[in-house]
Amino acid sequence: MKRLFPVIALASLLAAQSAAAQSILRDAETEALLNDMSRPIIEAADLNPRNVRMVLINDGSINAFVAGGQAVYIHSGLINAADNANEVQGVIAHELGHVTGGHVPLQGQMMQEAMGMTILSLVLGVAAIAAGAGEAGAGILAAGQQAAMGSFLAFSRGQESAADAAGARYLNTAKISGRGMLDFFKKLQNQEFRLAIPQNNGYQRTHPLSGQRIANLTGDLSAAPAFNAPIDADLQARFKRVQAKLRGYVNDAPATLRAYPVTDNSIPAHYARAYAYHRTGYPAKAAAEAAALVQFAPTDPYFLELQGQILLESGKPAEALAPLREATTRTRFQPLIATTFGHALIATEDPQHLTEAEQVLRQAVARDDRNPFAWYQLGVVYERKGDGPRTALAAAEQASLSNDPMRALISARAAMAGLPPDTPDYIRAQDIQMTAEFAVQNQKGRRR
C-alpha cells in the first residue's frame, strides 16, 4: 500500500452522476491475491483472466462496482468488513455478472429512456398548465417523474438480480463455495436493520432487499457440491495478511493498535502495526515490526519489500537496497516492487546506481505502463543522465496517466522535438500528443 494514484472512476448510483475523483491503492501482494482469488471465477464466466482487472479503491464504504470494460473496482471498506476470502469471492462473482451482462452500457441507455419520459411529461404538464388546467398539469409532471424513476429503479433491480444469479452460477462452475456470497448478503441485511431501512419498500430501491436476494440464491448455492467445502487455507492466510496491512494503511492508528495489540505476535498483527507506525511517524517501531516479519520468513518477498520501503522512506535508501533488490529478484521483477527498488537506487544520489535504476524502471514500465510514479522515477533517471527528450517523454507518460492532458501535450511535443523520427520512442510521443490534443479540445469545449 505504498502509493495513491488519482484516477477517474464512475460511480453507479440511483441517478446519473458526474465522474468522481477517487484513489486507487496499488500493492503487489494485494493484487496477486485478488488475481488468484478471482481467476477461477473469471474463467467460469468465459472471460480471459488477462483482460480482467481487480482494482482496489481507497473508500471506506462496503461496496464494489464495475464502470465499463472488464475492471472490477473493490472498495477498501469491503476488504476491511469481510470475514474471509470466500466472502470477497462472492462479491467478485456478482460484479462479473454485471460485466458479462453488459449492464453498464444498458444502464446508460435506460437512463436516457427515463430522461425521455421525464421530458415528455414536462412538455405535456406545461402545456396543460398553460391551457388553464393547473392541477392536471402538476399531476402530469409528478406522474411522469414517478414513472421515469420507477422504470429506472425496476431496471436496476433487475440487473442486480441477474448479476446475483450469474455470480452464483460462476461460483458453482468454479467449484467455489457460495456460502461467502450468502454470508456477505447477511452482512448487508444486518446493516439495513441497523439503519432501520424498511423491509417493505423494495420498489423504491436500486437493489433488491438483501433478504430477498438471500432467499433467491440459497437454493442454488446450497445445492452445489462445493457449498460445504472448507475455505482454501492458503487463500485465507494470504487474505488475513492483506486485510491487516490494508487496515494499518487506511485506518486510524489507534483503531489499528486496538485491533492488533502489541501482545499479538501473529503475522497479520506485525503487518498492521508496521504500516500504522510507519504512516504516523514512528520509524523505529515500524522497522522493528518489519524486522520481526523478516526474521519469521527471511525470503518472503513482501516482508523484504516492506522492510526496504520503511528504510527508504525513513531516509536510509542505501540500507534499503539489499532487501528491495532481493524482493525484486524473488518476484521476478514484479513492477510495483521494482519501482520501489528503482526509487531507492535514485535516492542514494550515487551516479553509479543510475544505470541499474534505468534498467529496473524500464522493466517495470514495460510490464505495467499504468504506474505514473514509475514513469516519474524513470524521468528522474533520464534527467540526471542529461537525456532531455526521454525526460520529456517520461513526463508525458506520467501526465497522461495523471489526467493532465495539457502537460502531456507540452511534454510530448518537447520529446518529439529531440527524438529521432520513426523510432519507437518518437512514435509513442506522437501517440500521446494526438490523444492529449483531443482531450484538451474536449476540455475547452466543456468550458464554453
Side-chain angles (χ1 to χ4, degrees):
M1 307 299 167
K2 299 182 293 299
R3 308 277 182 258
L4 290 177
F5 299 121
V7 296
I8 297 299
L10 196 63
S12 175
L13 299 176
L14 179 61
Q17 296 185 356
S18 60
Q22 292 181 306
S23 296
I24 287 177
L25 287 171
R26 297 210 60 190
D27 172 71
E29 183 178 16
T30 301
E31 292 182 4
L33 171 65
L34 290 175
N35 289 340
D36 289 345
M37 287 170 56
S38 62
R39 184 176 295 108
I41 310 171
I42 294 169
E43 292 172 345
D46 288 328
L47 298 171
N48 188 336
R50 293 183 179 181
N51 298 331
V52 181
R53 289 192 302 133
M54 299 291 136
V55 182
L56 184 62
I57 296 287
N58 186 20
D59 190 311
S61 60
I62 304 174
N63 197 17
F65 64 94
V66 295
Q70 296 187 19
V72 175
Y73 297 87
I74 301 171
H75 286 199
S76 58
L78 189 149
I79 302 294
N80 185 43
D83 289 330
N84 53 61
N86 188 229
E87 290 184 358
V88 180
Q89 286 179 309
V91 174
I92 291 171
H94 167 87
E95 296 304 330
L96 290 175
H98 283 305
V99 172
T100 57
H103 291 168
V104 172
L106 287 175
Q107 188 175 58
Q109 178 183 343
M110 190 60 194
M111 281 299 302
Q112 289 182 344
E113 293 178 5
M115 185 64 71
M117 294 173 63
T118 301
I119 292 173
L120 177 60
S121 69
L122 177 63
V123 171
L124 295 175
V126 170
I129 292 172
E135 291 186 6
I140 292 172
L141 287 172
Q145 292 172 355
Q146 184 175 3
M149 183 59 70
S151 178
F152 176 75
L153 292 177
F155 178 78
S156 179
R157 290 193 302 273
Q159 285 188 325
E160 294 300 326
S161 295
D164 286 347
R169 187 167 63 252
Y170 301 153
L171 289 172
N172 291 342
T173 301
K175 298 180 180 179
I176 294 174
S177 174
R179 188 181 296 277
M181 176 180 263
L182 294 179
D183 288 345
F184 203 82
F185 280 140
K186 290 174 184 176
K187 278 186 170 64
L188 297 180
Q189 186 180 41
N190 290 334
Q191 191 175 56
E192 291 171 0
F193 292 153
R194 287 196 301 272
L195 296 175
I197 294 175
Q199 299 295 296
N200 59 354
N201 69 338
Y203 293 106
Q204 299 177 19
R205 295 165 53 93
T206 56
H207 291 58
L209 290 164
S210 298
Q212 179 184 344
R213 301 172 82 172
I214 293 168
N216 292 342
L217 292 168
T218 297
D220 289 339
L221 289 173
S222 61
F227 184 74
N228 291 314
I231 297 173
D232 185 296
D234 178 62
L235 281 183
Q236 181 62 10
R238 292 170 62 191
F239 173 75
K240 285 300 182 183
R241 283 173 52 155
V242 163
Q243 185 183 55
K245 71 194 297 188
L246 177 64
R247 287 171 172 172
Y249 185 81
V250 302
N251 292 350
D252 291 337
T256 300
L257 296 176
R258 285 194 299 271
Y260 300 95
V262 293
T263 54
D264 185 347
N265 289 313
S266 67
I267 288 176
H270 284 301
Y271 241 154
R273 292 195 299 267
Y275 276 93
Y277 287 141
H278 183 54
R279 189 172 59 84
T280 52
Y282 293 93
K285 290 184 176 181
E289 298 291 352
L293 290 170
V294 173
Q295 184 177 10
F296 179 82
T299 60
D300 188 302
Y302 303 120
F303 296 166
L304 292 165
E305 176 199 20
L306 174 61
Q307 185 178 54
Q309 178 192 341
I310 290 171
L311 289 168
L312 169 62
E313 296 177 1
S314 300
K316 301 175 181 178
E319 295 178 35
L321 294 184
L324 288 175
R325 181 179 280 111
E326 186 172 355
T328 301
T329 301
R330 288 189 175 279
T331 57
R332 298 181 180 179
F333 278 75
Q334 200 285 335
L336 294 175
I337 296 176
T339 296
T340 305
F341 178 38
H343 179 198
L345 288 165
I346 295 168
T348 64
E349 299 187 355
D350 184 344
Q352 294 182 358
H353 288 148
L354 287 180
T355 298
E356 184 180 11
E358 181 181 358
Q359 294 171 347
V360 168
L361 290 167
R362 284 183 70 90
Q363 287 197 52
V365 297
R367 296 187 180 192
D368 180 3
D369 60 2
R370 298 188 301 270
N371 185 343
F373 185 71
W375 284 110
Y376 171 78
Q377 293 298 324
L378 188 56
V380 171
V381 171
Y382 288 138
E383 182 180 26
R384 292 188 183 178
K385 295 182 76 172
D387 189 341
R390 286 180 177 79
T391 301
L393 178 56
E397 294 277 12
Q398 182 204 5
S400 180
L401 289 167
S402 301
N403 196 35
D404 188 349
M406 181 58 74
R407 187 163 64 90
L409 177 59
I410 294 170
S411 300
R413 287 173 175 171
M416 291 171 64
L419 290 168
D422 299 326
T423 59
D425 284 345
Y426 182 92
I427 293 170
R428 177 57 188 157
Q430 194 173 48
D431 290 343
I432 295 174
Q433 179 195 31
M434 293 174 61
T435 304
E437 283 179 343
F438 181 76
V440 168
Q441 289 302 320
N442 274 351
Q443 285 185 350
K444 290 179 178 178
R446 287 197 295 269
R447 294 192 189 110
R448 291 173 184 169

